Amino acid sequence: MKSDGRLARMLHVLVHMALLGGKETSERIAQMLNTNPVVVRRTLGALRDNGIVESEGGRGGGWKMSKTLDDITVLDVQRALHKGTILSAGVSHDHPSCPVERASNAVLESAHAAAEAKLREIYATTTLAEIARIAVASGGEQAAN
Amino acid sequence: MKSDGRLARMLHVLVHMALLGGKETSERIAQMLNTNPVVVRRTLGALRDNGIVESEGGRGGGWKMSKTLDDITVLDVQRALHKGTILSAGVSHDHPSCPVERASNAVLESAHAAAEAKLREIYATTTLAEIARIAVASGGEQAAN
DNA sequence: TTTTTCTGTAACCTAAAATGTTACAGATTG
DNA sequence: CAATCTGTAACATTTTAGGTTACAGAAAAA
Ligand code: FES
Ligand code: FES
């Protein structure tokens, strides 16, 4: 498949919106993401349904944040975009009654569950404010670009 | 894409081969994986190139293990199948000069690196013998199936 | 009230990667 | 030589994110 870049893109957009003032239109966000307004509406729509941003139609409308960067974690955005687990184990279903297949799957699933726990822990303790801080700190020189 | 079940399948096949005697043909393995002999050759071929199994052509040929279950870890099989990292962060490349995009990507990559470290640690300390033990212990009753 | 500017969706097409399939070439044994 | 295997090439299929086109509807502005 094409790799899933929604989480990275949404983090980018949210930090952008918070840092550079207020409302942004789908068209402008599409330009900064190098894509199409429809893709933006689709993806930001999921964040709206989870109370992270708000949208307003009509002239002068657009998107704005519903929370501050301090009140949004990476995990919040992740959950808005994908229900269910973050990682998946890639098990096999070739011979469901076979104990060996079940044991193999169980080992892989348990390992992935441990890795996912680690990932969720980091996502849950990383706020978008932290990303903004890193960006401001590291991007000072290149900001004039 | 279709989800990648190669690791799970290969664990299954290797434990099967070790437990149920010696040589197996691509045709027989394909039946137990509910697939095609060509898929089996492709996938087992990667394990052969990494010294985990050996193949022999011609009449009476087939596949057999090059090591014991104790000497193969899940990580060995993983590395034979995929070079490079296990997890990937799904970063964005929409605006490479933007410090915010870079910070977002960096945070995601670092989180995934931590999760991957956990995963590799488990893979590296789990031998196929352990999978065999779990299968034998849990599958006793259903083995008659 | 008409025009302009936005969002919201439906209904496609495209891309990428694993898997499945068909068809042979080549090796090895009997 | 015949039979049985592996090794590959060359497709077709499946899945899911992303991209595109085309409108409908809402709201401000004129
Ligand atoms: S383009 Fe606006 S923050 Fe990156
Ligand atoms: S089919 Fe042989 S071990 Fe599962």
Side-chain angles (χ1 to χ4, degrees), chain A residues 9-10 13 16-17 23-37 40 44 63:
Chain A
R9 276 178 156 180
M10 290 304 100
V13 168
H16 171 112
M17 290 206 300
K23 219 170 284 190
E24 291 279 19
T25 183
S26 297
E27 178 62 38
R28 281 172 54 88
I29 296 173
Q31 283 168 3
M32 76 175 257
L33 292 187
N34 207 34
T35 181
N36 194 291
V40 173
L44 274 176
W63 302 86

Side-chain angles (χ1 to χ4, degrees), chain A residues 95 98-101, chain B residues 12-13 15-17 19-20 24 32-33:
Chain A
H95 196 155
C98 169
V100 175
E101 176 171 82
Chain B
H12 183 184
V13 168
V15 173
H16 171 111
M17 289 208 299
L19 287 183
L20 307 184
E24 291 280 18
M32 76 176 258
L33 292 187

Side-chain angles (χ1 to χ4, degrees), chain B residues 125-140:
Chain B
T125 55
T126 306
T127 66
L128 300 206
E130 219 163 317
I131 297 176
R133 220 173 302 136
I134 296 171
V136 171
S138 84

Side-chain angles (χ1 to χ4, degrees), chain B residues 1-2 24-26 38 41-42 48 55-63:
Chain B
M1 82 181 108
K2 271 179 191 170
E24 291 280 18
T25 183
S26 298
V38 178
R41 292 195 193 106
R42 261 202 305 241
R48 180 198 52 220
S55 63
E56 228 176 339
R59 188 166 194 152
W63 302 86

Side-chain angles (χ1 to χ4, degrees), chain A residues 1-2 25-26 38 41-42 48 55-59 62-63:
Chain A
M1 121 192 68
K2 274 178 190 171
T25 183
S26 297
V38 177
R41 294 195 191 105
R42 259 201 308 239
R48 180 198 53 222
S55 65
E56 227 176 338
R59 188 165 193 156
W63 302 86

Side-chain angles (χ1 to χ4, degrees), chain B residues 81-103:
Chain B
L81 293 173
H82 317 273
K83 306 303 174 189
T85 63
I86 306 174
L87 305 178
S88 73
V91 299
S92 61
H93 309 284
D94 302 314
H95 196 155
S97 68
C98 170
V100 174
E101 176 172 81
R102 280 209 287 255

